[in-house]
Amino acid sequence: MNQEAKSFYKSLVNVVGPIAIQNLITAAVGSADVIMLGFVGQTAIAASSLAGQVMFIMVMIATGLSSGLVMLAAQYWGKQDVESIKILHGAALRISASAGLIFSFATMFFPDLLMKIFTKDQALIETGAEYLRAVSISYICFSISQIFQAGFKSIERVKIVTIMTTLALLLNIFLNGIFIFVFKMGIFGVGIATSIARFIELVFCLIYAGTQKDVRFKISNIFTFNKILNLDFIKYSLPALGNELVWGAAFSVYSVILGHLGEDIVAANSVVNVIRQLATILCFGMAYGGAVVLGKTMGSGNLALAERNAKRLIKSTIIAGVGGGIILLCCYPVMPYIASLSPLAAQYRNVLMFINAASIIGAAINTVFICGVFRAGGDAKFGFYMDCICMWLVSVPLGLIAAFLLKLPPLWVYFILYLDEFEKMPVIIIHYLKKGWLKNITRDDVKDEER
C-alpha cells in the first residue's frame, strides 16, 4: 500500500470510526427498545415499529439537510472558509427547525390520525398514538441537534458527535428500563425516555458549539444570510433532501403495505431490522463518512486525488456490505431470543433474514455511490431521480398490486418490495463511470456579498 492510500484510509478511519460507533449505539438502543418492549407484548413491538415511521420521515428530512450542509461545508472546510460554513449552517438550521416544530405539533395533537395512515388495527392505532404523544418533544430537539452535529462532522469533529450521541442514547436505554420495569409505564415510558434523551443531546450540542473555536456554530446563525450561499444551499441540499424524502416516504409506504397485511409480518420485520441495523453500521458509516473525506479533497482543488480515493472508498464499502450480510445470517440462531413472537411471525422472521442479507449488499453498493461519492461532489440530483423512478414508479406500484390486487402472501410482497436496490444498480454504476460528479463546488466570490 502506497503512502497516498495510507493517508486516505487513515482519514477515513478517523471519520468513519466514530460514525460507526455512533451508529452502533443507535442500533443498540433500537435493539434495547425491541427487547424491552418484548416484555410488554408483541402489540407494543408492532405499534412502536409503525409509529417509528413518523420519526423515520423526520430523520430523512434532517439527513437530507445534513447531507446538503456537509456536501458544501466540507468543501469550504477544504479551502478554510469558516465564515461561509457558518452561513450554510444557519440556512440548514432554519429549514430543519421549522420541520421539527411541525412534527412535534402533529404528534402531540393528532397522533391517532397519523397512526391510521399506517394501519387499520385499532389496538395498534391506540398503542402507537400513546407512544407518539410521549415522543413528540423529541422531534424539535432532534431537528436542531442533527444540524449542529452535521456542522461538526463537516469540519472533521466527528469524535465529539459520537461522544454526545453515545451519552444520550445510553441515557435512553437506562430510562427505558426505569420507565418500563420500575414505573410500569409500557410504551408511553419508552416515548418519554426518548424525549428526555433527545433534549439532553441538544444541550450537549449547544455546550460544545459554544466552546470549540474552529467554527462558532450558534443558534443565531439562523439570522445570518448571504444570497450566493443561500442559493447554493438550496441548489445542492434540496435534491439531497428530496432524495431522502422520496426514499424514506417509499419505505413508509412499504410499512403501510406491511401494516395492512397483519401484525405478524410487522413484528417479524421489526425484529429483523434490529440485526440489520447492526449489520449495516460499518458500510453505511463508510458511505456517509467518506463523503466528508472526498468533499474536503475536492474543495482543496485536487480532483485527481479525489477520484482515486473514491475508488478506494467504493471497494472498502462493498467489502463491508458483504460482511454485513454474512453477519446477519450468522445471527440466525439467536433471533428467537431477541423477542417472543407468535409461531407465524417467527416463520416470517426466518425468511426475512435471508432477504435482508442480500438487500444489505445492494444497499451498501448504492449508498456509497449516491450518498458518498456523488454527494461529495455536489451531485445529489441523480440519487433523487433514481429513487423517484425505481421506488415510486416500480417498487411501490408492484408492492401495492401484489398486496391488494393479487393478494399474494406477505412474504412474496416483502420480497418484491425489497428488489428496489438491484433495479437501480446498473444505472448508478454507469453514472459513476461518466465522472460528472467529480467537481469543486466552492465559490471565490462569496466574500463580496454582505453577510
Side-chain angles (χ1 to χ4, degrees):
M1 184 184 297
N2 59 37
Q3 190 59 41
E4 179 183 288
K6 289 181 180 179
S7 177
F8 167 74
Y9 286 120
K10 181 180 179 180
S11 298
L12 187 64
V13 168
N14 288 337
V15 174
V16 173
I19 290 177
I21 294 173
Q22 180 184 353
N23 291 343
L24 174 62
I25 299 298
T26 302
V29 171
S31 303
D33 283 352
V34 172
I35 293 171
M36 291 179 181
L37 284 173
F39 290 93
V40 179
Q42 179 173 301
T43 299
I45 295 176
S48 67
S49 175
L50 293 177
Q53 294 305 308
V54 180
M55 173 55 88
F56 181 65
I57 296 172
M58 181 67 242
V59 169
M60 292 301 100
I61 294 175
T63 301
L65 293 171
S66 297
S67 295
L69 176 58
V70 171
M71 195 187 308
L72 281 158
Q75 290 214 4
Y76 278 105
W77 180 242
K79 62 189 298 185
Q80 292 296 295
D81 187 346
V82 172
E83 289 303 312
S84 294
I85 295 174
K86 290 194 290 187
I87 294 171
L88 291 166
H89 174 257
L93 200 55
R94 283 193 293 273
I95 302 173
S96 186
S98 299
L101 282 172
I102 293 171
F103 272 73
S104 288
F105 180 84
T107 51
M108 175 67 77
F109 297 105
F110 306 105
D112 296 87
L113 184 61
L114 291 173
M115 284 302 300
K116 288 178 181 178
I117 297 174
F118 299 102
T119 182
K120 58 185 178 181
D121 188 310
Q122 192 59 36
L124 293 179
I125 291 173
E126 293 176 359
T127 306
E130 183 182 6
Y131 172 79
L132 284 176
R133 190 172 287 110
V135 81
S136 60
I137 301 301
S138 70
Y139 293 103
I140 181 60
C141 297
F142 175 81
S143 66
I144 297 174
S145 65
Q146 290 303 293
I147 299 303
F148 272 89
Q149 291 178 10
F152 300 150
K153 289 177 183 178
S154 68
I155 61 171
E156 300 178 284
R157 299 298 181 269
V158 183
K159 291 181 181 179
I160 189 62
V161 174
T162 301
I163 292 171
M164 290 187 293
T165 305
T166 299
L167 291 175
L169 294 178
L170 289 176
L171 175 63
N172 196 349
I173 294 177
F174 174 75
L175 292 176
N176 279 347
I178 295 295
F179 290 136
I180 290 177
F181 300 116
V182 178
F183 293 105
K184 308 295 182 183
M185 296 173 66
I187 195 171
F188 185 78
V190 172
I192 293 296
T194 299
S195 290
I196 294 173
R198 290 300 184 189
F199 176 76
I200 296 300
E201 182 180 28
L202 174 57
V203 171
F204 287 158
C205 287
L206 295 178
I207 291 174
Y208 180 71
T211 57
Q212 67 93 24
K213 299 179 180 179
D214 292 305
V215 181
R216 287 299 179 93
F217 295 108
K218 299 180 290 186
I219 292 288
S220 60
N221 287 343
I222 289 178
F223 306 107
T224 306
F225 296 88
N226 176 279
K227 183 177 179 181
I228 292 176
L229 286 177
N230 285 343
L231 290 176
D232 275 355
F233 181 76
I234 292 173
K235 175 182 177 181
Y236 292 108
S237 69
L238 285 189
L241 173 59
N243 190 183
E244 297 293 342
L245 285 176
V246 163
W247 184 84
F251 261 85
S252 292
V253 173
Y254 292 0
S255 296
V256 170
I257 294 172
L258 295 177
H260 284 79
L261 294 179
E263 180 181 303
D264 289 306
I265 189 68
V266 174
N269 186 45
S270 301
V271 175
V272 173
N273 271 337
V274 170
I275 304 300
R276 180 188 173 102
Q277 289 176 5
L278 293 171
T280 55
I281 286 169
L282 185 57
C283 61
F284 287 174
M286 281 182 150
Y288 283 94
V292 176
V293 179
L294 293 179
K296 181 181 178 183
T297 305
M298 292 184 198
S300 69
N302 196 340
L303 298 184
L305 175 60
E307 182 181 4
R308 292 193 295 272
N309 285 340
K311 293 178 181 179
R312 296 175 178 122
L313 176 64
I314 293 166
K315 179 181 177 180
S316 301
T317 305
I318 293 175
I319 293 173
V322 173
I326 294 173
I327 289 172
L328 180 63
L329 294 179
C330 289
C331 291
Y332 186 91
V334 304
M335 293 301 290
Y337 302 100
I338 293 179
S340 178
L341 300 177
S342 68
L344 181 58
Q347 291 179 22
Y348 288 159
R349 176 200 63 208
N350 295 340
V351 178
L352 297 191
M353 288 194 67
F354 289 93
I355 296 175
N356 276 270
S359 177
I360 285 174
I361 300 173
I365 295 172
N366 293 331
T367 302
V368 71
F369 280 115
I370 292 176
C371 300
V373 175
F374 298 163
R375 287 188 187 176
D379 184 6
K381 289 183 179 179
F382 180 78
F384 172 65
Y385 295 147
M386 287 303 303
D387 281 336
C388 282
I389 294 171
C390 293
M391 300 189 83
W392 283 99
L393 297 183
V394 181
S395 291
V396 169
L398 286 179
L400 292 170
I401 291 171
F404 304 118
L405 186 61
L406 301 179
K407 298 186 183 300
L408 294 180
L411 288 177
W412 278 106
V413 176
Y414 190 96
F415 175 75
I416 290 170
L417 290 173
Y418 276 75
L419 285 175
D420 68 286
E421 295 291 356
F422 299 96
E423 296 163 2
K424 56 192 175 187
M425 194 182 299
V427 182
I428 289 173
I429 294 174
I430 292 173
H431 183 72
Y432 164 75
L433 295 174
K434 290 182 178 179
K435 302 182 182 180
W437 49 271
L438 188 62
K439 54 190 175 183
N440 183 337
I441 58 175
T442 62
R443 292 179 179 269
D444 296 322
D445 55 349
V446 176
K447 295 180 181 179
D448 297 330
E449 288 288 324
E450 181 181 354
R451 288 186 169 90

